[in-house]
Amino acid sequence: MTDTLTEPAARHVVTNPAILYFGTPVVLVSTRNADGTANLAPFSSAFWLGDRAVLGVSHGSQTYANLRRTGQAVIALPSSDQADVVNRLALTTGHPTPAAYKLARGYAQVADKFGRAGLTAVPAQVVDVPLPAETPIALEAEVVAFHSEPGSDGAPVTELRVVRVHAHPELLLPGRPNRIDPDRWRPLIMSFQQLYGLTPRVAPSRLAAIDEEAYRR
Ligand SMILES: Cc1cc2nc3c(=O)[nH]c(=O)nc-3n(C[C@H](O)[C@H](O)[C@H](O)COP(=O)(O)O)c2cc1C
């Protein structure tokens, strides 16, 4: 009976998408290879909790191998006008022996990812990992925890502590050296497998009545 009563108001259909990528920023994770060269790879499973970056990095990637070995990374955020950079890195791996499923999907092994991306590697300050000069934001980070092991059923979640934030100065609020202006920062967003930018601010946020400094740990 209840079903009959509520049915006319139903607005959804049941669907079963293969992926649930509703929109997250694209990051470029820079790591150090065992031979001392650098790797750089795009990931969009990324969100933030306080000073932590939480990334979904597949266990078969070169990035994961490097994170396991060194515990260090630079998480660079391209802007929405740098989609071409991300597309140049798409379908590449720095892994010396790419997994068969990646080769079947058209991935190619590329040793010089910074060169491939057209980005300039500059030294970071805290971690021994190069940082791309051209991305507006670059976060130096150290691994805190791997939340699942290869071969387990858990999602490949890596938690990192951000230890230094680099920003192009034009992103900062005038007179506020520790505030990124969200009206100036234009992240590149991946929704499902496509790339987007953000629209301008759609409404004033009630949450923003809280001073951002109140969140500092
Ligand atoms: C826009 C974009 C987003 C991606 N997001 C992820 C992701 O969140 N997690 C992941 O494991 N791979 C993701 N990939 C695929 C990796 O880039 C791919 O596994 C790559 O081979 C990793 O490089 P590496 O082996 O040199 O570390 C993404 C690729 C692109 C182009």
Side-chain angles (χ1 to χ4, degrees), residues 145-171:
F146 296 100
H147 289 288
S148 72
E149 292 299 317
S152 75
D153 189 37
V157 174
T158 301
E159 178 184 347
L160 302 102
R161 178 185 292 110
V162 175
V163 294
R164 186 146 298 175
V165 177
H166 301 262
H168 286 180
E170 60 271 21
L171 296 186

Side-chain angles (χ1 to χ4, degrees), residues 39 41-45 56 58 61-63 92-94 102 107 113:
N39 192 48
F43 297 90
S44 65
S45 302
S58 67
S61 63
Q62 182 65 15
T63 300
T92 70
T93 175
K102 278 197 171 169
Y107 275 78
K113 300 277 208 75

Side-chain angles (χ1 to χ4, degrees), residues 21 26 39-46 56-64 86-87 89-95 101-102 107 110 113 156 190 193 195:
Y21 298 164
V26 178
N39 192 48
L40 185 70
F43 297 90
S44 65
S45 302
V57 177
S58 67
H59 289 152
S61 63
Q62 182 65 15
T63 300
Y64 183 77
V86 173
N87 276 330
L89 290 171
L91 300 176
T92 70
T93 175
H95 202 287
Y101 82 89
K102 278 197 171 169
Y107 275 78
V110 173
K113 300 277 208 75
M190 192 180 92
Q193 294 189 86
L195 300 172

